[in-house]
Amino acid sequence: MLDPFGSRARELVKELGGIKAVLERIPSYIVLDHALRRVSWYKSGRVPDDVVTVDDLTDILTFYALLGALAFSPYGLEAELVKEANLKIYSKRIARSEGLTELSLPVEITDKNEIPVKDTFILEKRGERNLDPERKRGLELKYKVHLSSFLEFWDGSLKEVYIRNGYAYVTKGNVLKLWRKVFEHNTERAVNALYEITDELPDYYRKLREELGSLAREVFKERLGRYGNAEAAPLRFEFFPPCIKKAIGGVPAGLRNYAITVLLTSFLSYARICPNPPRRDVRVRDCIQDLGVLEREVIPLIIDAGNRCSPPLFEDQPHEIKNIWYHMGFGLTDRPGLEDSGSSPWYFPPNCDKIRANAPTLCNPDRDCRNIKNPLTYYLRKLYLENRRRQQEKGGETSEGGKGNG
Ligand code: SF4
């Protein structure tokens, strides 16, 4: 299979009863070690032949097994490993294949009469006799992509491509470059969709996520040493989503309890001490050794936001502070100890659709909200992109595995 999001994959998933049915079946067909084998070679830089040539059904089941695990960690090192390893697997298959119409990127084959001969002569360097045959093949504009799809994913210069009649005419190398972007986009979208249903997924995926986490920490240990995974760290306000920024700014009377006690309390507490929780029933005491960080860095933010409400929340509802601790899992109290955590559930930030249903005015999505299903994943994604940017600036990927030609 050339693309786990392409037409062949979609047909297969449909035949198997849809994505939820596929995720339910996977634990009976794919043992954890088999799913891990799909990425465990990554540090060596060489994709094993049996992974490249596997049959379509096993291919899709092992890939979706990994996606199911990422639903528990959409922007951690696990996601990085799964994405990079699978990019290599599918790139290798695409490089070997001629017909690319199965890809999720809508690629068409160029008819040889579509481009004026004089243009192909120049663009494909047909007059250059010294060019070796492989290089010449690499210059052939064998494919075309409609501009609407092309422009969405192309981040190179438009001077590099031949545009005519609403299409970009491209080489195979260009198709691969574009497809990589489409693959990353599709993976992110799929994982975010699964994030909404993590509670419904079999325990298999949580275990697979744990195994993936150990593997990813080993593979990326240098990267981890420099920047760390998404773990407890000072809050980055600039990465908060619009709904959280709005709640922090204070809201009117009808919204106060939802915006401050439900949304802000859950978001700030998880974002500060457990942004990437291993499971949904995690307790505060599983993440920190004392309450100082909550008392110094989280509670004051919540109280300030409550005070900015109109009228100020804690002035006419002073008991609401107990509710704040309740929502962080300490039961109804205003003097909690760490040992009290677990007395009530630690509320997870509500998903975006719940926020839109309960407090529509809080949700003014920006472009980074696309594909996001929960404010916490918005924050995790921003942290992840920032780490990646810093790595790229410092050339941080040069000494790690997975850089071979595969
Ligand atoms: S889409 Fe989600 S994260 Fe973005 S503003 Fe709306 S509720 Fe917040």
Side-chain angles (χ1 to χ4, degrees), residues 240-244 263 350-356 359-360 362-366 368-370 372-379:
F240 287 181
C243 51
I244 298 299
L263 178 60
N351 284 338
C352 299
D353 56 353
K354 289 258 166 51
I355 296 171
R356 280 192 288 269
L362 283 179
C363 177
N364 289 313
D366 63 15
D368 290 308
C369 289
R370 276 185 306 178
I372 289 293
K373 308 286 183 189
N374 186 289
L376 193 61
T377 44
Y378 179 109
Y379 184 64

PDB file of all heavy atoms in Angstrom, residues 240-244 263 350-356 359-360 362-366 368-370 372-379, ligand 1:
ATOM      1  N   PHE A 240      -1.417  29.366  24.596  1.00  0.00           N
ATOM      2  CA  PHE A 240      -2.785  29.016  25.010  1.00  0.00           C
ATOM      3  C   PHE A 240      -3.750  29.236  23.841  1.00  0.00           C
ATOM      4  O   PHE A 240      -3.602  30.190  23.068  1.00  0.00           O
ATOM      5  CB  PHE A 240      -3.242  29.900  26.177  1.00  0.00           C
ATOM      6  CG  PHE A 240      -2.597  29.573  27.500  1.00  0.00           C
ATOM      7  CD1 PHE A 240      -2.936  30.299  28.644  1.00  0.00           C
ATOM      8  CD2 PHE A 240      -1.676  28.543  27.624  1.00  0.00           C
ATOM      9  CE1 PHE A 240      -2.350  30.014  29.873  1.00  0.00           C
ATOM     10  CE2 PHE A 240      -1.085  28.245  28.846  1.00  0.00           C
ATOM     11  CZ  PHE A 240      -1.424  28.987  29.970  1.00  0.00           C
ATOM     12  N   PRO A 241      -4.787  28.412  23.735  1.00  0.00           N
ATOM     13  CA  PRO A 241      -5.783  28.610  22.676  1.00  0.00           C
ATOM     14  C   PRO A 241      -6.702  29.793  22.983  1.00  0.00           C
ATOM     15  O   PRO A 241      -6.777  30.247  24.139  1.00  0.00           O
ATOM     16  CB  PRO A 241      -6.568  27.294  22.692  1.00  0.00           C
ATOM     17  CG  PRO A 241      -6.396  26.757  24.055  1.00  0.00           C
ATOM     18  CD  PRO A 241      -5.058  27.220  24.543  1.00  0.00           C
ATOM     19  N   PRO A 242      -7.417  30.293  21.982  1.00  0.00           N
ATOM     20  CA  PRO A 242      -8.263  31.480  22.177  1.00  0.00           C
ATOM     21  C   PRO A 242      -9.276  31.342  23.311  1.00  0.00           C
ATOM     22  O   PRO A 242      -9.495  32.288  24.063  1.00  0.00           O
ATOM     23  CB  PRO A 242      -8.994  31.628  20.828  1.00  0.00           C
ATOM     24  CG  PRO A 242      -8.115  30.943  19.839  1.00  0.00           C
ATOM     25  CD  PRO A 242      -7.422  29.833  20.581  1.00  0.00           C
ATOM     26  N   CYS A 243      -9.881  30.149  23.482  1.00  0.00           N
ATOM     27  CA  CYS A 243     -10.904  30.006  24.527  1.00  0.00           C
ATOM     28  C   CYS A 243     -10.303  30.208  25.916  1.00  0.00           C
ATOM     29  O   CYS A 243     -10.923  30.798  26.810  1.00  0.00           O
ATOM     30  CB  CYS A 243     -11.576  28.632  24.433  1.00  0.00           C
ATOM     31  SG  CYS A 243     -10.405  27.265  24.361  1.00  0.00           S
ATOM     32  N   ILE A 244      -9.056  29.727  26.102  1.00  0.00           N
ATOM     33  CA  ILE A 244      -8.406  29.855  27.412  1.00  0.00           C
ATOM     34  C   ILE A 244      -8.006  31.317  27.643  1.00  0.00           C
ATOM     35  O   ILE A 244      -8.185  31.861  28.744  1.00  0.00           O
ATOM     36  CB  ILE A 244      -7.177  28.919  27.495  1.00  0.00           C
ATOM     37  CG1 ILE A 244      -7.621  27.455  27.358  1.00  0.00           C
ATOM     38  CG2 ILE A 244      -6.397  29.131  28.792  1.00  0.00           C
ATOM     39  CD1 ILE A 244      -8.571  26.960  28.413  1.00  0.00           C
ATOM     40  N   LEU A 263     -13.443  24.971  32.836  1.00  0.00           N
ATOM     41  CA  LEU A 263     -12.464  25.001  31.737  1.00  0.00           C
ATOM     42  C   LEU A 263     -11.062  25.405  32.201  1.00  0.00           C
ATOM     43  O   LEU A 263     -10.084  24.684  31.990  1.00  0.00           O
ATOM     44  CB  LEU A 263     -12.966  25.958  30.638  1.00  0.00           C
ATOM     45  CG  LEU A 263     -12.025  26.140  29.449  1.00  0.00           C
ATOM     46  CD1 LEU A 263     -11.757  24.815  28.753  1.00  0.00           C
ATOM     47  CD2 LEU A 263     -12.609  27.144  28.459  1.00  0.00           C
ATOM     48  N   PRO A 350     -12.558  19.961  28.908  1.00  0.00           N
ATOM     49  CA  PRO A 350     -13.612  19.504  28.000  1.00  0.00           C
ATOM     50  C   PRO A 350     -13.169  19.610  26.541  1.00  0.00           C
ATOM     51  O   PRO A 350     -12.361  20.482  26.196  1.00  0.00           O
ATOM     52  CB  PRO A 350     -14.778  20.469  28.280  1.00  0.00           C
ATOM     53  CG  PRO A 350     -14.203  21.601  29.057  1.00  0.00           C
ATOM     54  CD  PRO A 350     -12.929  21.144  29.685  1.00  0.00           C
ATOM     55  N   ASN A 351     -13.687  18.722  25.705  1.00  0.00           N
ATOM     56  CA  ASN A 351     -13.398  18.802  24.282  1.00  0.00           C
ATOM     57  C   ASN A 351     -14.035  20.048  23.672  1.00  0.00           C
ATOM     58  O   ASN A 351     -14.997  20.602  24.223  1.00  0.00           O
ATOM     59  CB  ASN A 351     -13.924  17.554  23.563  1.00  0.00           C
ATOM     60  CG  ASN A 351     -13.040  16.353  23.811  1.00  0.00           C
ATOM     61  OD1 ASN A 351     -11.867  16.491  24.163  1.00  0.00           O
ATOM     62  ND2 ASN A 351     -13.589  15.162  23.652  1.00  0.00           N
ATOM     63  N   CYS A 352     -13.518  20.438  22.506  1.00  0.00           N
ATOM     64  CA  CYS A 352     -13.989  21.669  21.857  1.00  0.00           C
ATOM     65  C   CYS A 352     -15.496  21.630  21.593  1.00  0.00           C
ATOM     66  O   CYS A 352     -16.181  22.639  21.764  1.00  0.00           O
ATOM     67  CB  CYS A 352     -13.247  21.887  20.535  1.00  0.00           C
ATOM     68  SG  CYS A 352     -11.473  22.070  20.794  1.00  0.00           S
ATOM     69  N   ASP A 353     -16.018  20.469  21.181  1.00  0.00           N
ATOM     70  CA  ASP A 353     -17.456  20.456  20.868  1.00  0.00           C
ATOM     71  C   ASP A 353     -18.284  20.696  22.130  1.00  0.00           C
ATOM     72  O   ASP A 353     -19.333  21.339  22.087  1.00  0.00           O
ATOM     73  CB  ASP A 353     -17.865  19.166  20.132  1.00  0.00           C
ATOM     74  CG  ASP A 353     -17.506  17.913  20.905  1.00  0.00           C
ATOM     75  OD1 ASP A 353     -16.832  18.031  21.945  1.00  0.00           O
ATOM     76  OD2 ASP A 353     -17.901  16.812  20.478  1.00  0.00           O
ATOM     77  N   LYS A 354     -17.778  20.239  23.297  1.00  0.00           N
ATOM     78  CA  LYS A 354     -18.500  20.499  24.561  1.00  0.00           C
ATOM     79  C   LYS A 354     -18.423  21.990  24.899  1.00  0.00           C
ATOM     80  O   LYS A 354     -19.385  22.579  25.374  1.00  0.00           O
ATOM     81  CB  LYS A 354     -17.862  19.708  25.709  1.00  0.00           C
ATOM     82  CG  LYS A 354     -18.095  18.220  25.622  1.00  0.00           C
ATOM     83  CD  LYS A 354     -19.203  17.805  26.591  1.00  0.00           C
ATOM     84  CE  LYS A 354     -19.746  16.413  26.334  1.00  0.00           C
ATOM     85  NZ  LYS A 354     -18.748  15.370  26.219  1.00  0.00           N
ATOM     86  N   ILE A 355     -17.275  22.590  24.669  1.00  0.00           N
ATOM     87  CA  ILE A 355     -17.115  24.024  24.969  1.00  0.00           C
ATOM     88  C   ILE A 355     -18.056  24.831  24.079  1.00  0.00           C
ATOM     89  O   ILE A 355     -18.763  25.732  24.542  1.00  0.00           O
ATOM     90  CB  ILE A 355     -15.645  24.472  24.762  1.00  0.00           C
ATOM     91  CG1 ILE A 355     -14.740  23.741  25.759  1.00  0.00           C
ATOM     92  CG2 ILE A 355     -15.499  25.990  24.914  1.00  0.00           C
ATOM     93  CD1 ILE A 355     -13.254  23.918  25.520  1.00  0.00           C
ATOM     94  N   ARG A 356     -18.095  24.457  22.812  1.00  0.00           N
ATOM     95  CA  ARG A 356     -18.971  25.191  21.885  1.00  0.00           C
ATOM     96  C   ARG A 356     -20.440  25.014  22.282  1.00  0.00           C
ATOM     97  O   ARG A 356     -21.240  25.926  22.127  1.00  0.00           O
ATOM     98  CB  ARG A 356     -18.751  24.712  20.450  1.00  0.00           C
ATOM     99  CG  ARG A 356     -17.507  25.336  19.825  1.00  0.00           C
ATOM    100  CD  ARG A 356     -17.455  25.083  18.335  1.00  0.00           C
ATOM    101  NE  ARG A 356     -17.140  23.699  18.050  1.00  0.00           N
ATOM    102  CZ  ARG A 356     -15.891  23.228  17.879  1.00  0.00           C
ATOM    103  NH1 ARG A 356     -14.876  24.064  17.933  1.00  0.00           N
ATOM    104  NH2 ARG A 356     -15.678  21.965  17.631  1.00  0.00           N
ATOM    105  N   ALA A 359     -20.608  26.899  26.110  1.00  0.00           N
ATOM    106  CA  ALA A 359     -20.208  28.317  26.196  1.00  0.00           C
ATOM    107  C   ALA A 359     -19.721  28.773  24.820  1.00  0.00           C
ATOM    108  O   ALA A 359     -18.533  29.007  24.622  1.00  0.00           O
ATOM    109  CB  ALA A 359     -19.104  28.467  27.241  1.00  0.00           C
ATOM    110  N   PRO A 360     -20.667  28.871  23.873  1.00  0.00           N
ATOM    111  CA  PRO A 360     -20.253  29.147  22.481  1.00  0.00           C
ATOM    112  C   PRO A 360     -19.413  30.415  22.343  1.00  0.00           C
ATOM    113  O   PRO A 360     -18.527  30.467  21.480  1.00  0.00           O
ATOM    114  CB  PRO A 360     -21.580  29.273  21.721  1.00  0.00           C
ATOM    115  CG  PRO A 360     -22.677  29.183  22.722  1.00  0.00           C
ATOM    116  CD  PRO A 360     -22.112  28.706  24.013  1.00  0.00           C
ATOM    117  N   LEU A 362     -17.075  31.470  24.115  1.00  0.00           N
ATOM    118  CA  LEU A 362     -15.649  31.292  24.474  1.00  0.00           C
ATOM    119  C   LEU A 362     -14.828  30.834  23.269  1.00  0.00           C
ATOM    120  O   LEU A 362     -13.615  31.020  23.214  1.00  0.00           O
ATOM    121  CB  LEU A 362     -15.501  30.234  25.569  1.00  0.00           C
ATOM    122  CG  LEU A 362     -15.838  30.632  27.004  1.00  0.00           C
ATOM    123  CD1 LEU A 362     -15.641  29.436  27.915  1.00  0.00           C
ATOM    124  CD2 LEU A 362     -14.977  31.798  27.460  1.00  0.00           C
ATOM    125  N   CYS A 363     -15.479  30.217  22.320  1.00  0.00           N
ATOM    126  CA  CYS A 363     -14.748  29.605  21.195  1.00  0.00           C
ATOM    127  C   CYS A 363     -14.706  30.534  19.986  1.00  0.00           C
ATOM    128  O   CYS A 363     -15.677  30.647  19.248  1.00  0.00           O
ATOM    129  CB  CYS A 363     -15.397  28.268  20.827  1.00  0.00           C
ATOM    130  SG  CYS A 363     -14.621  27.491  19.400  1.00  0.00           S
ATOM    131  N   ASN A 364     -13.584  31.208  19.831  1.00  0.00           N
ATOM    132  CA  ASN A 364     -13.324  31.986  18.610  1.00  0.00           C
ATOM    133  C   ASN A 364     -12.088  31.377  17.975  1.00  0.00           C
ATOM    134  O   ASN A 364     -10.973  31.859  18.179  1.00  0.00           O
ATOM    135  CB  ASN A 364     -13.031  33.460  18.936  1.00  0.00           C
ATOM    136  CG  ASN A 364     -14.272  34.158  19.398  1.00  0.00           C
ATOM    137  OD1 ASN A 364     -15.317  34.036  18.781  1.00  0.00           O
ATOM    138  ND2 ASN A 364     -14.165  34.867  20.520  1.00  0.00           N
ATOM    139  N   PRO A 365     -12.241  30.292  17.243  1.00  0.00           N
ATOM    140  CA  PRO A 365     -11.063  29.540  16.791  1.00  0.00           C
ATOM    141  C   PRO A 365     -10.119  30.357  15.915  1.00  0.00           C
ATOM    142  O   PRO A 365     -10.573  31.196  15.140  1.00  0.00           O
ATOM    143  CB  PRO A 365     -11.669  28.382  15.988  1.00  0.00           C
ATOM    144  CG  PRO A 365     -13.099  28.713  15.775  1.00  0.00           C
ATOM    145  CD  PRO A 365     -13.500  29.730  16.778  1.00  0.00           C
ATOM    146  N   ASP A 366      -8.831  30.119  16.075  1.00  0.00           N
ATOM    147  CA  ASP A 366      -7.855  30.707  15.154  1.00  0.00           C
ATOM    148  C   ASP A 366      -7.380  29.602  14.214  1.00  0.00           C
ATOM    149  O   ASP A 366      -7.859  28.476  14.289  1.00  0.00           O
ATOM    150  CB  ASP A 366      -6.704  31.387  15.916  1.00  0.00           C
ATOM    151  CG  ASP A 366      -5.900  30.398  16.756  1.00  0.00           C
ATOM    152  OD1 ASP A 366      -6.037  29.173  16.536  1.00  0.00           O
ATOM    153  OD2 ASP A 366      -5.139  30.840  17.629  1.00  0.00           O
ATOM    154  N   ASP A 368      -4.816  27.791  14.187  1.00  0.00           N
ATOM    155  CA  ASP A 368      -4.219  26.620  14.837  1.00  0.00           C
ATOM    156  C   ASP A 368      -5.267  25.701  15.460  1.00  0.00           C
ATOM    157  O   ASP A 368      -4.932  24.616  15.933  1.00  0.00           O
ATOM    158  CB  ASP A 368      -3.217  27.067  15.914  1.00  0.00           C
ATOM    159  CG  ASP A 368      -1.982  27.677  15.287  1.00  0.00           C
ATOM    160  OD1 ASP A 368      -1.397  27.026  14.417  1.00  0.00           O
ATOM    161  OD2 ASP A 368      -1.629  28.814  15.639  1.00  0.00           O
ATOM    162  N   CYS A 369      -6.513  26.138  15.482  1.00  0.00           N
ATOM    163  CA  CYS A 369      -7.572  25.268  16.022  1.00  0.00           C
ATOM    164  C   CYS A 369      -8.014  24.229  14.997  1.00  0.00           C
ATOM    165  O   CYS A 369      -8.749  23.301  15.347  1.00  0.00           O
ATOM    166  CB  CYS A 369      -8.791  26.100  16.427  1.00  0.00           C
ATOM    167  SG  CYS A 369      -8.511  27.100  17.897  1.00  0.00           S
ATOM    168  N   ARG A 370      -7.562  24.374  13.740  1.00  0.00           N
ATOM    169  CA  ARG A 370      -7.958  23.399  12.719  1.00  0.00           C
ATOM    170  C   ARG A 370      -7.502  22.003  13.142  1.00  0.00           C
ATOM    171  O   ARG A 370      -6.347  21.821  13.529  1.00  0.00           O
ATOM    172  CB  ARG A 370      -7.309  23.738  11.379  1.00  0.00           C
ATOM    173  CG  ARG A 370      -8.099  24.768  10.600  1.00  0.00           C
ATOM    174  CD  ARG A 370      -7.474  24.974   9.257  1.00  0.00           C
ATOM    175  NE  ARG A 370      -6.056  25.302   9.400  1.00  0.00           N
ATOM    176  CZ  ARG A 370      -5.232  25.506   8.379  1.00  0.00           C
ATOM    177  NH1 ARG A 370      -5.669  25.396   7.169  1.00  0.00           N
ATOM    178  NH2 ARG A 370      -3.966  25.820   8.579  1.00  0.00           N
ATOM    179  N   ILE A 372      -7.988  20.477  15.732  1.00  0.00           N
ATOM    180  CA  ILE A 372      -7.838  20.317  17.180  1.00  0.00           C
ATOM    181  C   ILE A 372      -9.195  19.974  17.791  1.00  0.00           C
ATOM    182  O   ILE A 372     -10.203  20.552  17.419  1.00  0.00           O
ATOM    183  CB  ILE A 372      -7.300  21.636  17.792  1.00  0.00           C
ATOM    184  CG1 ILE A 372      -5.849  21.851  17.400  1.00  0.00           C
ATOM    185  CG2 ILE A 372      -7.488  21.688  19.285  1.00  0.00           C
ATOM    186  CD1 ILE A 372      -4.893  20.860  17.986  1.00  0.00           C
ATOM    187  N   LYS A 373      -9.203  19.004  18.716  1.00  0.00           N
ATOM    188  CA  LYS A 373     -10.471  18.601  19.336  1.00  0.00           C
ATOM    189  C   LYS A 373     -10.518  18.941  20.812  1.00  0.00           C
ATOM    190  O   LYS A 373     -11.521  18.707  21.465  1.00  0.00           O
ATOM    191  CB  LYS A 373     -10.675  17.078  19.192  1.00  0.00           C
ATOM    192  CG  LYS A 373     -10.533  16.573  17.783  1.00  0.00           C
ATOM    193  CD  LYS A 373     -11.728  16.945  16.944  1.00  0.00           C
ATOM    194  CE  LYS A 373     -11.604  16.366  15.554  1.00  0.00           C
ATOM    195  NZ  LYS A 373     -12.623  16.853  14.640  1.00  0.00           N
ATOM    196  N   ASN A 374      -9.410  19.436  21.354  1.00  0.00           N
ATOM    197  CA  ASN A 374      -9.368  19.727  22.785  1.00  0.00           C
ATOM    198  C   ASN A 374      -8.343  20.845  23.016  1.00  0.00           C
ATOM    199  O   ASN A 374      -7.272  20.833  22.406  1.00  0.00           O
ATOM    200  CB  ASN A 374      -8.947  18.459  23.553  1.00  0.00           C
ATOM    201  CG  ASN A 374      -9.033  18.646  25.040  1.00  0.00           C
ATOM    202  OD1 ASN A 374      -8.238  19.356  25.635  1.00  0.00           O
ATOM    203  ND2 ASN A 374     -10.007  18.013  25.661  1.00  0.00           N
ATOM    204  N   PRO A 375      -8.659  21.814  23.886  1.00  0.00           N
ATOM    205  CA  PRO A 375      -7.716  22.926  24.118  1.00  0.00           C
ATOM    206  C   PRO A 375      -6.327  22.447  24.560  1.00  0.00           C
ATOM    207  O   PRO A 375      -5.318  23.077  24.246  1.00  0.00           O
ATOM    208  CB  PRO A 375      -8.371  23.745  25.228  1.00  0.00           C
ATOM    209  CG  PRO A 375      -9.795  23.341  25.235  1.00  0.00           C
ATOM    210  CD  PRO A 375      -9.887  21.957  24.680  1.00  0.00           C
ATOM    211  N   LEU A 376      -6.281  21.309  25.286  1.00  0.00           N
ATOM    212  CA  LEU A 376      -4.978  20.838  25.756  1.00  0.00           C
ATOM    213  C   LEU A 376      -4.114  20.358  24.576  1.00  0.00           C
ATOM    214  O   LEU A 376      -2.897  20.541  24.584  1.00  0.00           O
ATOM    215  CB  LEU A 376      -5.164  19.711  26.782  1.00  0.00           C
ATOM    216  CG  LEU A 376      -3.920  19.334  27.580  1.00  0.00           C
ATOM    217  CD1 LEU A 376      -3.393  20.505  28.404  1.00  0.00           C
ATOM    218  CD2 LEU A 376      -4.211  18.151  28.499  1.00  0.00           C
ATOM    219  N   THR A 377      -4.743  19.761  23.569  1.00  0.00           N
ATOM    220  CA  THR A 377      -3.933  19.328  22.422  1.00  0.00           C
ATOM    221  C   THR A 377      -3.462  20.550  21.615  1.00  0.00           C
ATOM    222  O   THR A 377      -2.411  20.511  20.988  1.00  0.00           O
ATOM    223  CB  THR A 377      -4.674  18.347  21.490  1.00  0.00           C
ATOM    224  OG1 THR A 377      -5.978  18.804  21.279  1.00  0.00           O
ATOM    225  CG2 THR A 377      -4.669  16.960  22.033  1.00  0.00           C
ATOM    226  N   TYR A 378      -4.236  21.623  21.649  1.00  0.00           N
ATOM    227  CA  TYR A 378      -3.784  22.872  21.010  1.00  0.00           C
ATOM    228  C   TYR A 378      -2.459  23.293  21.654  1.00  0.00           C
ATOM    229  O   TYR A 378      -1.480  23.587  20.987  1.00  0.00           O
ATOM    230  CB  TYR A 378      -4.862  23.940  21.216  1.00  0.00           C
ATOM    231  CG  TYR A 378      -4.553  25.304  20.631  1.00  0.00           C
ATOM    232  CD1 TYR A 378      -5.249  25.760  19.512  1.00  0.00           C
ATOM    233  CD2 TYR A 378      -3.603  26.154  21.199  1.00  0.00           C
ATOM    234  CE1 TYR A 378      -4.999  27.022  18.978  1.00  0.00           C
ATOM    235  CE2 TYR A 378      -3.344  27.400  20.676  1.00  0.00           C
ATOM    236  CZ  TYR A 378      -4.052  27.839  19.564  1.00  0.00           C
ATOM    237  OH  TYR A 378      -3.795  29.087  19.053  1.00  0.00           O
ATOM    238  N   TYR A 379      -2.445  23.284  22.976  1.00  0.00           N
ATOM    239  CA  TYR A 379      -1.256  23.702  23.728  1.00  0.00           C
ATOM    240  C   TYR A 379      -0.076  22.751  23.480  1.00  0.00           C
ATOM    241  O   TYR A 379       1.046  23.173  23.213  1.00  0.00           O
ATOM    242  CB  TYR A 379      -1.629  23.739  25.207  1.00  0.00           C
ATOM    243  CG  TYR A 379      -0.550  24.233  26.136  1.00  0.00           C
ATOM    244  CD1 TYR A 379      -0.070  25.542  26.055  1.00  0.00           C
ATOM    245  CD2 TYR A 379      -0.013  23.401  27.119  1.00  0.00           C
ATOM    246  CE1 TYR A 379       0.911  25.994  26.921  1.00  0.00           C
ATOM    247  CE2 TYR A 379       0.963  23.852  27.989  1.00  0.00           C
ATOM    248  CZ  TYR A 379       1.420  25.150  27.886  1.00  0.00           C
ATOM    249  OH  TYR A 379       2.398  25.603  28.737  1.00  0.00           O
TER     250      TYR A 379
HETATM  251  S1  SF4 B   1     -11.627  25.322  18.645  1.00  0.00           S
HETATM  252 FE1  SF4 B   1     -11.278  24.401  20.660  1.00  0.00          FE
HETATM  253  S2  SF4 B   1      -9.265  25.152  21.271  1.00  0.00           S
HETATM  254 FE2  SF4 B   1      -9.935  26.471  19.605  1.00  0.00          FE
HETATM  255  S3  SF4 B   1     -10.950  28.210  20.635  1.00  0.00           S
HETATM  256 FE3  SF4 B   1     -12.533  26.710  20.151  1.00  0.00          FE
HETATM  257  S4  SF4 B   1     -12.734  25.466  21.990  1.00  0.00           S
HETATM  258 FE4  SF4 B   1     -10.793  26.549  22.134  1.00  0.00          FE
END
